Amino acid sequence: MSADLSTPATADRKRAGAALSTVEVTAGYNGRPVVHGVSVNVKPGQVVSVVGPNGSGKSTLLKSIVGVVKVLSGSVLLDGVDITNQAPEDTARVGVGYVPQIDDVFGPLSVKENLEMGGYLLPSREVAGRIDRVVTYFPKLATMMTRKAAQLSGGERKMLAMGRVLMLQPSLFVLDEPTANLAPMIATELLHEHVRQLAVDGASVLIVEQRAKAVLEISDHTYVLAGGRLRMEGSPAELATSPDFVASFLGGGPAGQPAGSP
């Protein structure tokens, strides 16, 4: 469970979130758009989710925000500053923490070495203190510092991936399907006890997630993509009144996954 926010151990966890806006972003690969004119907004202290069928452009949208995929038109703003098409290392420097769906940890390295790699932009004297702060979020990591990341379970790997990003104390977290391949109970714990806690502590969180029902439980606002375009948006309560949304995303596969999802 997450530590009580009133305790001294968590006082340093409070951070100033950054407002994210994508303005009519069109993005894709080799000059071919996958995402078409998508605008999303995330405010500090919010969890904003993006859901949609497989192949709808959700991951491409996130990658365009962090500089992995080229924005072909439109803009990405962080606290009103244009960061469109900045290199990933530059987006990290301005406070954007990105956790990809795959290749999110260095398997041959130990847990401690992974965290140290996450602090690559820090002065060396600050790295140990940042690791201590990460452990306040993920106490389980403290017991496995010498274990290789490749030896961790799926849930442990994802905690390490998020912890590695936490090393730089980002103001915006961009999470691409953090519960992929996790058991339902572990996925629920990750979303409720860790992802939501990032926003409670002041950060902004943009998350792509296939488990629509589960992610709506922690979201302040949700965007629905299909065919690379924004089809609907609203608060979880508003979307729950939409017959189309309920039929497509809340009445399908297990754990609230869309019908036909693996």
Side-chain angles (χ1 to χ4, degrees):
M1 297 292 290
S2 299
D4 187 324
L5 287 176
S6 65
T7 64
T10 57
D12 290 338
R13 286 165 38 159
K14 288 289 185 180
R15 61 174 60 78
L20 170 73
S21 296
T22 70
V23 183
E24 296 292 323
V25 162
T26 295
Y29 306 85
N30 300 318
R32 297 182 177 181
V34 174
V35 172
H36 305 268
V38 173
S39 298
V40 302
N41 294 283
V42 188
K43 297 177 182 178
Q46 282 189 331
V47 174
V48 172
S49 52
V50 181
V51 301
N54 290 333
S56 61
K58 304 184 301 295
S59 292
T60 299
L61 175 64
L62 296 196
K63 290 175 181 178
S64 72
I65 291 169
V66 301
V68 175
V69 169
K70 185 174 179 59
V71 174
L72 303 174
S73 65
S75 56
V76 179
L77 306 176
L78 190 70
D79 275 346
V81 177
D82 194 333
I83 62 168
T84 310
N85 288 327
Q86 284 192 2
E89 58 269 26
D90 292 329
T91 63
R93 286 187 175 93
V94 298
V96 179
Y98 173 51
V99 180
Q101 181 182 355
I102 59 175
D103 298 328
D104 52 358
V105 297
F106 300 102
L109 301 184
S110 70
V111 167
K112 183 179 180 182
E113 288 168 338
N114 267 271
L115 294 176
E116 290 171 342
M117 289 288 289
Y120 73 106
L121 292 176
L122 297 172
S124 58
R125 65 183 181 277
E126 295 183 15
V127 171
R130 291 291 179 91
I131 290 176
D132 289 342
R133 292 180 183 179
V134 167
V135 170
T136 70
Y137 273 95
F138 303 108
K140 193 172 183 179
L141 293 180
T143 67
M144 54 183 70
M145 284 291 174
T146 60
R147 288 178 59 186
K148 301 296 185 185
Q151 299 173 330
L152 304 181
S153 69
E156 291 166 349
R157 283 174 64 97
K158 193 54 66 175
M159 284 191 289
L160 176 57
M162 292 175 64
R164 191 163 60 86
V165 168
L166 268 169
M167 287 291 292
L168 296 181
Q169 295 185 311
S171 53
L172 168 68
F173 289 83
V174 179
L175 310 178
D176 192 355
E177 299 202 24
T179 73
N181 302 317
L182 299 185
M185 184 177 297
I186 296 173
T188 298
E189 177 183 351
L190 183 75
L191 291 173
H192 283 266
E193 297 193 14
H194 299 303
V195 174
R196 184 66 213 177
Q197 191 63 51
L198 296 173
V200 169
D201 288 348
S204 312
V205 180
L206 179 63
I207 177 173
V208 159
E209 184 54 61
Q210 279 292 96
R211 300 172 188 267
K213 184 176 180 180
V215 79
L216 258 65
E217 292 176 353
I218 67 162
S219 297
D220 299 290
H221 197 84
T222 297
Y223 294 89
V224 182
L225 291 187
R229 300 182 186 276
L230 181 62
R231 302 300 183 181
M232 65 179 75
E233 65 172 286
S235 68
E238 290 168 340
L239 291 176
T241 66
S242 166
D244 288 343
F245 182 83
V246 171
S248 297
F249 296 100
L250 301 185
Q257 295 184 29
S261 293

